[in-house]
Amino acid sequence: MEKMRDFLRDHGMVCAVVLCACAAVVTGAWAVRTIQSELNRQVPPVTEQQKQQAESAPLSPQAQPEWEENEWNTGFDVAGRAEGIPEERSSSGEHSSSGASSGASSAGKPGEKPSESTAPADVGSASYAPPVSGSVVQAFSGDELVYNETLEDWRTHNGTDYACSIGNPVKAPVSGKVAVVKDSGNWGGTLELIDAENRTWRLYGVVAEVKTGEDVTCGQPVGKVGGIACETAVGSHVHLEIEQDGKYLDPAQIIR
């Protein structure tokens, strides 16, 4: 006991300091654990789903790389319209894109009648008719050679032959102007009409009763059936040719 008192007398100060230090360490540890427990209690732990959502979420505008704005600038604003191109306005004053404007101008509004200025020209609306009522006895051959029994040779047949009797009336196959009235020798009497499409309608074997420069209408009587010396083997008929820009057309494809 005496030794304990001597030890405390000699080392009491050191013991007091050590005890205070230990007390401070214990108190600090207790305080840290208390604070940590309180924080864990107030803030719920992060779940695995929340971690995945955070990883897949896009960067905020402030976190976007600076090069994106410069390297991928396409010259379009947020509305998708190219900069520097003026907007068009429709007739109602509303903004419209170039595609919508062109579509509206060409098609018009539903049920709206197009104006006469934009309507297509009435080309080829005239009616056509065979010059006589008889059947076809020899058709158009185009580039194919056919045998001519009268001349006993091979040649193209540039028109259509319609059977008829001598003296029967011949009618205009199309409306137009009389351009030629003449005698063509072996082809007999010839009558040429020019239609609205600048095509030449040539009738052979016709005794014309109209004059050059006259206007005729489709179906109007223009003469009577004569004869064609170079095609007598076919019988009495009228030969019709249609020519445009130096090319013969098939009358059967036009007169239907």
Side-chain angles (χ1 to χ4, degrees):
M1 194 66 180
E2 186 68 24
K3 290 181 179 182
M4 181 63 68
R5 285 197 293 268
D6 292 340
F7 178 80
L8 292 174
R9 185 176 59 248
D10 295 336
H11 303 285
M13 184 61 66
V14 176
C15 292
V17 172
V18 172
L19 290 173
C20 290
C22 292
V25 171
V26 172
T27 303
W30 176 81
V32 170
R33 290 181 60 85
T34 302
I35 294 172
Q36 186 176 4
S37 299
E38 185 66 21
L39 290 176
N40 291 337
R41 185 179 63 83
Q42 294 180 358
V43 180
V46 178
T47 63
E48 188 66 26
Q49 182 179 3
Q50 291 173 334
K51 288 181 180 180
Q52 293 177 356
Q53 292 177 351
E55 291 175 357
S56 61
L59 296 175
S60 62
Q62 292 81 3
Q64 293 288 348
E66 295 182 358
W67 55 263
E68 240 187 334
E69 181 177 358
N70 297 327
E71 302 246 349
W72 296 95
N73 184 12
T74 59
F76 285 81
D77 58 17
V78 293
R81 181 175 55 84
E83 296 177 354
I85 301 178
E87 292 183 344
E88 296 182 3
R89 292 179 178 271
S90 62
S91 58
S92 61
E94 298 178 353
H95 292 288
S96 62
S97 65
S98 59
S101 176
S102 61
S105 60
S106 60
K109 297 180 180 179
E112 183 179 357
K113 182 180 180 181
S115 61
E116 294 182 359
S117 59
T118 58
D122 188 11
V123 178
S125 61
S127 59
Y128 309 108
V132 292
S133 58
S135 60
V136 174
V137 292
Q138 188 165 359
F140 175 80
S141 71
D143 296 330
E144 182 181 355
L145 297 177
V146 294
Y147 187 70
N148 186 311
E149 295 182 3
T150 304
L151 301 178
E152 298 182 348
D153 63 3
W154 292 83
R155 61 179 63 197
T156 59
H157 192 251
N158 300 325
T160 300
D161 293 342
Y162 296 90
C164 53
S165 299
I166 299 293
N168 281 1
V170 178
K171 299 179 181 179
V174 67
S175 298
K177 184 178 289 293
V178 178
V180 174
V181 175
K182 67 177 183 179
D183 184 359
S184 297
N186 286 337
W187 284 98
T190 302
L191 173 64
E192 291 185 5
L193 303 175
I194 306 298
D195 67 8
E197 298 180 36
N198 202 34
R199 295 176 296 195
T200 299
W201 295 63
R202 192 174 292 115
L203 291 166
Y204 290 112
V206 177
V207 180
E209 296 178 345
V210 291
K211 297 180 180 180
T212 302
E214 287 188 29
D215 291 326
V216 298
T217 58
C218 180
Q220 174 184 334
V222 292
K224 297 186 181 300
V225 177
I228 302 177
C230 63
E231 291 185 343
T232 56
V234 182
S236 178
H237 68 279
V238 169
H239 178 98
L240 171 64
E241 294 179 355
I242 305 174
E243 185 180 353
Q244 184 175 29
D245 299 328
K247 181 179 179 180
Y248 289 101
L249 308 178
D250 185 358
Q253 297 299 318
I254 299 175
I255 302 174
R256 298 178 182 275

